[in-house]
Amino acid sequence: MPGNIKVTVCPDAQGVARKAAGVFAALLRSKPAAVIGLATGSTPEQTYAELARLHREEKLSLAKVSSFNLDEYWGLDGDHDQSYRHFMNTHLFNHVDIRPWNTCVLNGKAANPALECQAFETKILAAGGVDLWLLGIGGNGHIAFNEPGSPVDSRTRLVSLTPSTIAANSDGRFFKDPAEVPRCALSAGIGTIREARQLVLLATGPKKAAAIAAAAEGSFSPDCPASLLQDHPDCTFIVDREAAAGLKHPH
Ligand code: PGA
């Protein structure tokens, strides 16, 4: 039975970015010290560009915001050009007034991964929980690096990447060769993500259509990790027409 997920269909990827940035802007204008969750990957790049534009041209401020990122490759330090820390600096943090010390990205070179993950969870709790977490979705339905089979109550932990994720991230957009892609990552768990008060998941392009249909209209199952958001009280998918193509019901 399809759950509560609201789906907003935009004409194209630019429309998705504008809509998603608008959700963030509305939150920040009503709660300047909001705690936000962020994602990496190709999909949110335009949303971050739009947030940077809102900061530049419309005085949107992130000066009081705290942020938490979903995941980081295990074995890469933050200076590596494929690390998610580097991605966030390049695509968002360097272009807005967020304070670097208020941005939390898991350390892919931590001496003790279990302690690093536990500290991440503790910092989220100490910040009062996440108000709004932005998510992407893998072609296999993963959210963060919670691959199919991940439990609904999973917490932040060291995980292995599936071959399909390794292939997707070495198609030339990020890594050029599958051999370069780290095999493991630190990832917020599905239970961690589900505790955010609001969730916004973005998807664009035909490669995401099957995953979006399974997540929004398929069964509530770890086979499609994003379907485990169906019983969240405030979860919206913002997708373009291509990513919406597999949906059977109007949303
Ligand atoms: P993408 O990745 O935005 O690069 O497609 C999304 C994801 O795998 O979560």
Side-chain angles (χ1 to χ4, degrees), residues 40-44 136-139 142-144 169 173-174 208:
T40 52
S42 299
T43 314
I137 184 169
H142 74 203
I143 47 173
N169 289 356
R173 290 174 306 151
F174 300 117
K208 301 293 171 68

Side-chain angles (χ1 to χ4, degrees), residues 216-242:
E217 297 180 345
S219 46
F220 181 91
S221 163
D223 293 345
C224 176
S227 73
L228 301 176
L229 306 178
Q230 285 176 1
D231 63 347
H232 191 280
D234 190 353
C235 176
T236 306
F237 288 3
I238 305 178
V239 303
D240 69 1
R241 285 203 188 105
E242 290 179 322

Side-chain angles (χ1 to χ4, degrees), residues 76-239:
L76 300 193
D77 73 32
D79 293 333
H80 191 287
D81 66 1
Q82 290 303 331
S83 73
Y84 288 163
R85 160 56 74 183
H86 180 82
F87 176 103
M88 290 310 305
N89 289 346
T90 310
H91 289 281
L92 184 64
F93 299 156
N94 292 349
H95 308 287
V96 295
D97 57 349
I98 196 165
R99 306 295 189 236
W101 53 89
N102 289 333
T103 68
C104 181
V105 183
L106 286 150
N107 175 6
K109 289 272 238 185
N112 182 328
L115 278 183
E116 175 68 11
C117 293
Q118 208 174 25
F120 179 82
E121 296 264 354
T122 304
K123 277 186 221 161
I124 291 177
L125 283 178
V130 173
D131 291 302
L132 166 60
W133 211 323
L134 183 72
L135 306 168
I137 184 169
N140 64 359
H142 74 203
I143 47 173
F145 279 122
N146 294 288
E147 301 285 22
S150 302
V152 65
D153 58 355
S154 47
R155 308 305 307 186
T156 307
R157 67 211 184 285
L158 182 64
V159 295
S160 299
L161 276 49
T162 60
S164 74
T165 296
I166 291 169
N169 289 356
S170 57
D171 63 0
R173 290 174 306 151
F174 300 117
F175 294 93
K176 294 196 175 43
D177 185 327
E180 293 170 17
V181 183
R183 268 34 193 172
C184 296
L186 300 180
S187 178
I190 296 175
T192 320
I193 293 167
R194 282 164 49 94
E195 284 168 9
R197 287 181 274 281
Q198 186 180 359
L199 297 171
V200 169
L201 181 148
L202 309 183
T204 58
K207 288 185 187 162
K208 301 293 171 68
I212 287 295
E217 297 180 345
S219 46
F220 181 91
S221 163
D223 293 345
C224 176
S227 73
L228 301 176
L229 306 178
Q230 285 176 1
D231 63 347
H232 191 280
D234 190 353
C235 176
T236 306
F237 288 3
I238 305 178
V239 303

